Amino acid sequence: MSPSVADADAMAVALADARTALDHHDVPIGAAVLALDGTVIATGHNERELHNDPTAHAEMVAIRSAAAALGSWRLDDCVLAVTLEPCTMCAGALVLARIGRLVFGAWDPKAGAVGSLWDVVRDRRLNHRPEVAAGVREGECAALLRDFFATRR
């Protein structure tokens, strides 16, 4: 599915949250869960360093927060926007949460599970397959990561 203006707006929310991960020296990846009308339900950014938690990826933080805010684990009427292609853990979580639409920015050729290395979200053996829009504001998302890692090499 091709990206829309609403996808770009959703990615703007995720990008803004990604920058807050820099405050605690974590990889700047951000995520946002939005209602279909564009209302922001929850946001999240990487908190692995902050909490010493390997599962504290931006998507996981945002999904948990959205489920709590809505009082339901079923997020089928929601959009998840994330600045980097989800890994296998996060792709599995968004399938289990029944996310209706996934929007992501930069591709992750080393760990991506939405087309790069694997394609978990489109696996016909699973009981849920969200719509996917890839490469939304890709240059901006990739630059944020590239700049972060350039200072650490």
Side-chain angles (χ1 to χ4, degrees):
M1 171 138 304
S2 60
S4 67
V5 172
D7 293 341
D9 292 343
M11 189 58 68
V13 176
L15 275 162
D17 212 65
R19 292 179 183 96
T20 64
L22 296 169
D23 295 341
H24 42 82
H25 311 288
D26 215 325
V27 179
I29 299 170
V33 176
L34 299 94
L36 295 178
D37 67 2
T39 302
V40 177
I41 297 168
T43 61
H45 56 271
N46 272 9
E47 295 182 355
R48 294 177 313 161
E49 299 298 332
L50 182 65
H51 299 297
N52 295 313
D53 179 356
T55 69
H57 290 201
E59 300 95 313
M60 301 297 286
V61 173
I63 288 170
R64 286 179 187 132
S65 182
L70 294 174
S72 175
W73 62 268
R74 291 181 173 269
L75 304 178
D76 45 355
D77 290 330
C78 296
V79 175
L80 172 65
V82 60
T83 57
L84 182 65
E85 178 185 3
C87 69
T88 53
M89 174 184 68
C90 294
L94 71 94
V95 167
L96 292 172
R98 311 294 198 269
I99 294 287
R101 181 171 171 83
L102 168 65
V103 176
F104 74 86
W107 291 90
D108 186 354
K110 294 181 179 178
V114 186
S116 288
L117 293 179
W118 300 280
D119 201 348
V120 172
V121 301
R122 292 184 192 99
D123 190 320
R124 294 196 171 276
R125 296 169 293 182
L126 299 177
N127 64 343
H128 177 74
R129 288 177 297 283
E131 292 180 26
V132 177
V136 176
R137 298 180 72 164
E138 181 176 3
E140 195 174 348
C141 293
L144 185 60
L145 292 164
R146 193 171 39 254
D147 293 348
F148 174 79
F149 286 113
T151 64
R152 281 151 179 76
R153 292 188 177 124

